[in-house]
Amino acid sequence: MKKLFFIAAIAGAALVSCTKNELAPSVTEQQVISFDTPVIGAATKVDLLSTYPTETHFGVFGLYYEGDWTGYDYGVSYMDNVEVARVAPAGTDTDGGWTANGYYWPKNNASTLTFAAYSPYMATGVSHDETGIHFTNYVVDNANVDLLFSDRAYSQKKSNQVVNNSVYYGVNITFNHALSAILFQAKAAVGLTGNSDKPNYKFVITKIEVLNADSKGTFNQNLTDDAYGPITPGASTSDWNTSIPKDYVAYTGSGITVDSTTPISAFGTGTDNSGKADLILLPQALNDVSVRVTYNLRHDGMPAGKYIENNVVSANLSYDDADDSKDVTSWLRGKRYIYTLTLDLDKIYFAPNMAGWTDVEVPASSL
């Protein structure tokens, strides 16, 4: 399948090469279209890196104009979902760092290109029109892949990307997160640890799951008009239309030890690396979404090495019982939600009762 996509991209490149010669008069220099190191607002992938991953290819749509941007309907499709890959660090190569194979700037100094991008390349159901990038019926499977869409880069020329008359950096691309990141951390309730006169408790979390989260959705960028061209509005509950509930495993492993009232991040914990307690999920309403935690329990009054195993507790993710002002009823795109799980126990109470005395008549004795 990857080979088919690659062949299609090359074929598209050949077609555009013919088209660009018809669109603009020839000049002496030919320059490949390149992109600067993409910028993102926060993280991609489960480790939530703050820079765009160099190994991840992205897709680009480009519109040609005789002058500056004059509206989507007036542009000529010049790059239609073209794959872009990193060829060198920006500023160290004449190609500017990231480029699409076979695509060149139009040979007309007055003409411009307007770009829109998304990542990763060939994401499910991607398309682009006057209202921006769309992802139709996108499915979150393993919940560890970020989905990005860019702000439009309007009225770009090759000359815009040349620094100090020599170094070509490429077109700046600013990506936005289309999904939501979910991070869990845990602590013990007050009174269970740090005691000198009573048992200290230890929780060992072996699994964290998110239940009933929607797994399939359709996204619309919903660009709105502005004096300098349409812009991406702020995140809202109308960005995504989602469905098909699914359970996701945020963490599973040898154990996250929680033995104090200081929150311990579940992210990146576990020697088996099978789960990292970070999920990248669809933005959605949290009406029926919950978290389920499986843990082992012991305290220092129990025999060494003995645990009470596979305790299971659940909580709804749509509200905070203690403080209504912290209620989160929906996840929004581009937001990272940090949940602190407080592991508590029900104190053991006793109800002393005592049976009454039974009188026994003792026969008289002669003394």
Side-chain angles (χ1 to χ4, degrees):
M1 184 62 71
K2 289 183 179 179
K3 289 184 178 179
L4 291 176
F5 290 149
F6 179 75
I7 292 170
I10 296 300
L15 290 174
V16 172
S17 297
C18 297
T19 304
K20 66 184 179 64
N21 291 328
E22 298 172 2
L23 288 171
S26 177
V27 293
T28 57
E29 183 182 2
Q30 188 177 54
Q31 177 66 62
V32 67
I33 296 173
S34 306
F35 299 88
D36 199 356
T37 302
V39 176
I40 52 178
T44 60
K45 298 194 174 179
V46 290
D47 51 2
L48 296 182
L49 296 173
S50 58
T51 56
Y52 188 86
T54 58
E55 73 280 7
T56 301
H57 297 190
F58 58 91
V60 168
F61 297 90
L63 295 172
Y64 171 88
Y65 295 85
E66 292 291 345
D68 289 340
W69 161 272
T70 54
Y72 185 88
D73 292 338
Y74 299 97
V76 176
S77 179
Y78 193 77
M79 301 175 73
D80 184 15
N81 197 9
V82 174
E83 183 177 13
V84 173
R86 183 177 186 265
V87 295
T92 63
D93 187 279
T94 56
D95 286 341
W98 296 74
T99 189
N101 186 21
Y103 284 83
Y104 298 87
W105 289 99
K107 294 181 178 182
N108 180 342
N109 290 333
S111 66
T112 66
L113 294 174
T114 288
F115 299 100
Y118 72 95
S119 174
Y121 178 64
M122 294 304 292
T124 303
V126 67
S127 62
H128 177 251
D129 62 17
E130 62 275 12
T131 62
I133 295 288
H134 306 273
F135 301 109
T136 302
N137 294 328
Y138 182 84
V139 176
V140 173
D141 188 9
N142 296 322
N144 62 356
V145 177
D146 204 356
L147 182 66
L148 306 172
F149 66 96
S150 79
D151 295 329
R152 277 204 188 126
Y154 291 101
S155 303
Q156 300 295 304
K157 297 181 179 181
K158 184 197 74 173
S159 58
N160 297 149
Q161 283 74 53
V162 177
V163 178
N164 296 327
N165 297 318
S166 59
V167 181
Y168 178 65
Y169 277 84
V171 177
N172 288 320
I173 291 292
T174 301
F175 281 115
N176 305 291
H177 296 281
L179 303 178
S180 303
I182 314 301
L183 173 66
F184 292 104
Q185 57 186 17
K187 66 178 182 179
V190 174
L192 298 179
T193 64
N195 302 301
S196 59
D197 58 345
K198 49 188 175 183
N200 287 292
Y201 281 85
K202 178 184 291 185
F203 302 86
V204 179
I205 297 174
T206 58
K207 197 170 189 179
I208 302 174
E209 301 165 274
V210 171
L211 309 180
N212 296 317
D214 284 350
S215 63
K216 184 176 182 178
T218 294
F219 167 80
N220 298 302
Q221 188 174 0
N222 293 324
L223 291 173
T224 58
D225 288 336
D226 183 80
Y228 302 99
I231 60 172
T232 302
S236 73
T237 56
S238 63
D239 293 338
W240 281 90
N241 181 17
T242 62
S243 62
I244 309 182
K246 177 180 176 178
D247 298 342
Y248 294 94
V249 176
Y251 170 81
T252 180
S254 56
I256 302 165
T257 300
V258 178
D259 56 4
S260 75
T261 56
T262 301
I264 297 171
S265 175
F267 162 68
T269 305
T271 57
D272 56 7
N273 294 317
S274 60
K276 292 186 171 61
D278 234 42
L279 296 175
I280 300 180
L281 299 175
L282 290 174
Q284 59 191 274
L286 301 179
N287 300 331
D288 300 311
V289 183
S290 61
V291 59
R292 181 167 64 195
V293 179
T294 303
Y295 66 93
N296 302 332
L297 175 69
R298 72 162 298 179
H299 62 66
D300 56 14
M302 296 168 60
K306 298 292 184 180
Y307 288 100
I308 300 174
E309 298 184 336
N310 298 321
N311 295 275
V312 179
V313 291
S314 300
N316 195 303
L317 290 180
S318 65
Y319 63 90
D320 183 302
D321 282 330
D323 186 350
D324 290 341
S325 67
K326 295 182 180 180
D327 287 359
V328 174
T329 58
S330 296
W331 293 331
L332 300 180
R333 63 171 173 81
K335 305 294 184 182
R336 183 186 184 196
Y337 296 91
I338 302 174
Y339 289 94
T340 300
L341 309 172
T342 302
L343 299 175
D344 201 355
L345 298 172
D346 293 325
K347 186 173 289 187
I348 299 173
Y349 288 93
F350 297 91
N353 199 358
M354 185 164 45
W357 294 102
T358 300
D359 294 335
V360 178
E361 291 287 342
V362 180
S365 301
S366 299
L367 297 176

